[in-house]
Amino acid sequence: THLGNALHTTSVRLIGFCLGGRYALMTAAQDTRIKACAAAYPSIDIPRLSSQELDAVALAADIRCPVHVLQPGHDHVASVETYAALKAALHKRAAPTIWQYYPDAEHGFMHRKEPAANPAASVIASPQFIAFLRACLL
């Protein structure tokens, strides 16, 4: 709302990493003003923690804008089953879904230099992530 009112922004795009990725998905599901949602290794627990009222995977099916997800092969937060459920929810939508999978990368790979698979994945993921958000400006 602030971006639209104070800055006269007409196109809002979200990007989130880790817990921010979970929040980006939930926000995009609840706010139709969002034009794109990018989530890098979103921290989604199944079953949800007692402190988590909203089901990010269930809400993902309601996202109307394009979504881009980065999935590491070694994620100690979100399980393979969680990613499969998220992908299934997103693929039921009419909006585009882009899914990138990095089998040797770890959770947080875009912010971690070790092991070598992390920066190698970042080199490929970063430009595509940014290009997705730019493309959704229109």
Side-chain angles (χ1 to χ4, degrees):
T1 300
H2 171 73
L3 291 173
N5 294 340
L7 304 176
H8 308 292
T9 302
T10 58
S11 180
V12 177
R13 296 153 295 151
L14 300 175
I15 185 169
F17 299 85
C18 191
L19 185 57
R22 178 177 178 271
Y23 288 137
L25 292 166
M26 292 188 306
T27 301
Q30 298 175 71
D31 191 335
T32 58
R33 297 173 296 178
I34 305 301
K35 302 300 180 202
C37 176
Y41 31 84
S43 295
I44 301 172
D45 299 294
I46 296 179
R48 291 188 321 272
L49 302 177
S50 60
S51 61
Q52 298 173 340
E53 292 180 33
L54 301 176
D55 183 340
V57 173
L59 283 171
D62 296 331
I63 299 173
R64 294 184 184 160
C65 66
V67 175
H68 189 151
V69 176
L70 300 181
Q71 177 188 356
H74 302 286
D75 196 328
H76 66 279
V77 179
S79 68
V80 172
E81 294 79 18
T82 298
Y83 279 112
L86 178 60
K87 186 186 281 188
L90 291 171
H91 283 184
K92 290 178 183 176
R93 307 169 314 119
T97 299
I98 298 170
W99 199 276
Q100 289 180 260
Y101 176 67
Y102 297 92
D104 294 328
E106 300 175 332
H107 183 91
F109 71 84
M110 295 180 87
H111 301 94
R112 299 175 59 206
K113 295 180 181 179
E114 298 291 332
N118 289 342
S122 294
V123 166
I124 298 169
S126 295
Q128 293 182 66
F129 222 37
I130 293 166
F132 165 77
L133 292 169
R134 281 191 181 137
C136 293
L137 265 174
L138 305 174

